[in-house]
Amino acid sequence: MDCYLGIDIGTFETKGVLADGQGRILATAKRRHDMIVPQPGWAEHDAEKDWWGEFCAISKELIATTGIAPGDIKAVAASGIGPCMLPVDEDGKPLMNAVLYGVDTRASEEIEELTAEIGEETLLAECGNTLTSQSVGPKILWLKKNRPELYARTHKVMNSSSFLVHRLTGRFVIDHYSASSSSPLYDIHTNRWSDRYADRIIALGRLPELLWSTEIAGHVTEQAAKETGLAPGTPVTAGTIDAAAEAVSVGVLGTGEMMMMYGSTMFIILVTDHRVEDGRLWYAPWLFEGQHACMSGTSTSGTLTRWFQEQFARELDAEEALRLLAEEAQGAPVGANGIVVLPYFSGERTPIHDPHARGVIFGLDLTHTRADIYRGFLEGIAYGVTSVIETYEGAGAAIERIAAVGGGTKNAVWSQAISDASGKTQDVAANTVGAAFGNAFLAAVAVGAAGRDDIRRWNPMERSIAPQEENRAVYDARYRTFKELYARNSDLMRGAEQRTSDEA
């Protein structure tokens, strides 16, 4: 039986899927890991342990569980959180922990420096993006300034999927979708690395080779075969960032189709037929040449619910806690009895791009319960998503269909609040495994065993979450409070930081 392996590295979990040529899932596996937070504003992973170690463990488990011959796996595709910044030596060995995507805000100073030097209009024109905590270029500059000894030893700067592909094949490659987040080092007009700022940041020879996501990057080496259980010579795709693979997994392929991913953060991708120019949103060439993607993301969602669980529901069984909290929240009224939460516990990405933003629980009194507060957290995430949707529409980007994916789709309060607050219907596919399943499909596409449109057969839509009009008035009122809270919170935080700086 021909089958295809997809593995995805998430913020807190690695997932693997083995699927046959019809999209039937033969087996799944997962491993949990932690996000390393050495200090406020930093977010890291141990690439050896969290990325490669878990890839190997899951690959072996899937082969053992199904009992298939390794040679029956006809292609492998990997994705991972991103954009990340991981410096490696000539052998591909990590020189430090991987610096994660936009939740890591350590390069705020470098963002300001490069923006002042280059200019926002130039950045938007050349790179399709202004510089934010999501940009890899400033993080490389941070490495150059703050870890010069490691920078000097850096042979290549990798992301999560390119690290895995190197371990599997020995090649240093990165897909275009991922590379475009390396602003200001990627030219969106030529789809090549740009040398305009190489002297300032890093020589282009120290960046991976560019490929499209479904191109074959190489084949499993003898050493990788020993570590993963895969057959030597198995084709490996160039891979991509997890959110892109997740979008593919639920059939987001055409113009106007949007993926809303419920994960550690909310991440949203809209496929377009042209580049949407708006500094509040992110741009990338889509996985397939000739298409474009307009993206956005919050800084917290699943990380926030996990934090709430760890701080306020410690007595609940860890495996059941989030489900039980969701059941409690179901019993609280729409609008959380007046509580409004700003979910900016790690700053915020789209659309405000403010690392100074902080979380707020507003409206508490002695009558409120844990259920009210937790519902307020879920609704706060919904208000953040609503502001993102408004940004898309304000930029002139038409949204024809929204496909929701991720574990959060099983949380009725959370998913319904997003539809109610935003006024948008969300379609949910039969299979919500996510990026790992998308990778298995992309692996099949890469070797010609499937066409792009076959994903609709692999994973048909199962249900829709439509807005409930009776809730709209409550959510509209709370959303107005949400926006006013942010405006005041931002001013207060900046003022407090300035006073602290003055006192120091």
Side-chain angles (χ1 to χ4, degrees):
M1 177 195 302
D2 291 353
C3 53
Y4 305 91
L5 175 64
I7 293 182
D8 173 67
I9 309 293
T11 304
F12 294 111
E13 190 173 67
T14 300
K15 294 180 181 179
V17 167
L18 202 57
D20 69 11
Q22 303 303 311
R24 291 186 291 264
I25 294 177
L26 306 177
T28 64
K30 61 184 179 180
R31 294 287 189 281
R32 291 185 64 82
H33 52 253
D34 293 321
M35 182 170 71
I36 303 165
V37 184
Q39 63 185 68
W42 290 27
E44 302 176 350
H45 272 172
D46 180 331
E48 288 282 4
K49 178 172 68 72
D50 300 331
W51 296 355
W52 180 240
E54 293 188 1
F55 183 102
C56 294
I58 283 178
S59 176
K60 288 179 176 178
E61 180 179 335
L62 290 172
I63 292 170
T65 299
T66 57
I68 64 165
D72 287 342
I73 299 176
K74 300 305 179 183
V76 177
S79 66
I81 50 171
C84 300
M85 191 277 290
L86 175 67
V88 301
D89 64 17
E90 291 185 359
D91 297 321
K93 182 179 179 180
L95 298 174
M96 60 180 286
N97 282 340
V99 177
L100 302 191
Y101 52 101
V103 295
D104 186 293
T105 59
R106 72 182 67 193
S108 297
E109 182 179 308
E110 288 72 24
I111 290 169
E112 293 178 2
E113 285 180 17
L114 290 171
T115 300
E117 292 174 18
I118 301 168
E120 285 195 2
E121 291 186 6
T122 300
L123 286 164
L124 198 57
E126 294 177 354
C127 309
N129 302 289
T130 56
L131 297 180
T132 69
S133 63
Q134 194 80 347
S135 308
V136 173
K139 292 178 180 179
I140 299 175
L141 182 57
W142 177 90
L143 177 71
K144 183 178 183 179
K145 290 169 56 180
N146 295 277
R147 302 288 188 272
E149 71 288 352
L150 296 184
Y151 177 86
R153 294 168 54 200
T154 297
H155 177 66
K156 298 286 183 182
V157 175
M158 313 284 275
N159 75 346
S160 52
S161 60
S162 60
F163 177 74
L164 294 176
V165 170
H166 178 264
R167 283 300 172 89
L168 287 166
T169 70
R171 289 190 66 194
F172 293 103
V173 303
I174 191 171
D175 68 297
H176 286 276
Y177 176 83
S178 301
S180 66
S181 296
S182 299
S183 299
L185 299 169
Y186 183 89
D187 189 325
I188 60 171
H189 303 290
T190 63
N191 293 132
R192 296 178 180 176
W193 294 121
S194 169
D195 62 3
R196 292 185 184 92
Y197 312 107
D199 289 345
R200 180 75 168 90
I201 303 173
I202 196 166
L204 300 190
R206 297 163 81 181
L207 300 175
E209 178 186 350
L210 293 164
L211 295 176
W212 293 99
S213 298
T214 52
E215 288 189 84
I216 298 300
H219 299 80
V220 174
T221 65
E222 292 286 348
Q223 180 59 38
K226 293 176 183 177
E227 296 185 55
T228 63
L230 296 167
T234 304
V236 179
T237 73
T240 191
I241 289 176
D242 57 353
E246 195 124 17
V248 169
S249 79
V250 288
V252 172
L253 299 169
T255 299
E257 293 187 321
M258 172 179 279
M259 183 273 296
M260 186 171 295
M261 181 178 77
Y262 292 71
S264 300
T265 68
M266 297 294 296
F267 199 86
I268 299 171
I269 298 175
L270 177 68
V271 177
T272 64
D273 58 4
H274 66 286
R275 179 165 69 93
V276 175
E277 297 187 43
D278 192 302
R280 297 169 297 175
L281 301 167
W282 301 311
Y283 166 79
W286 188 223
L287 300 188
F288 307 103
E289 194 169 2
Q291 288 187 299
H292 306 265
C294 186
M295 301 159 297
S296 56
T298 66
S299 288
T300 57
S301 60
T303 51
L304 197 56
T305 60
R306 180 170 171 152
W307 176 85
F308 188 97
Q309 169 202 336
E310 291 173 347
Q311 301 304 319
F312 305 112
R314 295 177 184 175
E315 81 284 3
L316 299 180
D317 177 77
E319 295 298 320
E320 295 291 320
L322 290 179
R323 180 184 63 81
L324 295 172
L325 286 170
E327 289 178 0
E328 288 183 12
Q330 189 80 55
V334 169
N337 273 323
I339 291 173
V340 177
V341 173
L342 285 185
Y344 303 152
F345 284 51
S346 294
E348 183 57 302
R349 297 190 290 174
T350 316
I352 61 176
H353 299 295
D354 185 358
H356 302 280
R358 291 294 180 267
V360 172
I361 305 173
F362 175 79
L364 285 171
D365 64 39
L366 293 175
T367 68
H368 284 119
T369 66
R370 180 170 72 181
D372 294 326
I373 300 170
Y374 189 65
R375 185 176 187 114
F377 271 61
L378 299 176
E379 291 178 344
I381 297 167
Y383 302 138
V385 170
T386 299
S387 70
V388 172
I389 295 292
E390 288 182 349
T391 303
Y392 276 100
E393 294 177 334
I399 302 169
E400 303 295 337
R401 182 177 76 89
I402 297 176
V405 66
T409 58
K410 296 180 176 66
N411 185 322
V413 174
W414 187 1
S415 55
Q416 189 64 56
I418 285 179
S419 282
D420 290 349
S422 68
K424 301 294 185 183
T425 295
Q426 302 172 76
D427 294 331
V428 182
N431 177 346
T432 59
V433 171
F437 183 73
N439 288 327
F441 176 74
L442 289 169
V445 171
V447 294
R452 281 196 292 176
D453 291 339
D454 286 340
I455 189 62
R456 304 190 194 284
R457 174 174 53 81
W458 276 43
N459 195 16
M461 288 299 125
E462 184 176 70
R463 62 187 174 92
S464 294
I465 306 167
Q468 297 178 342
E469 193 58 36
E470 63 269 25
N471 296 337
R472 195 61 191 269
V474 173
Y475 281 126
D476 283 350
R478 299 289 185 273
Y479 182 52
R480 288 193 293 271
T481 302
F482 176 89
K483 290 192 288 187
E484 185 176 353
L485 278 174
Y486 166 67
R488 296 188 180 188
N489 176 253
S490 181
D491 290 342
L492 284 170
M493 288 307 304
R494 290 178 185 277
E497 289 184 3
Q498 183 60 53
R499 286 192 294 274
T500 301
S501 177
D502 292 344
E503 290 169 1

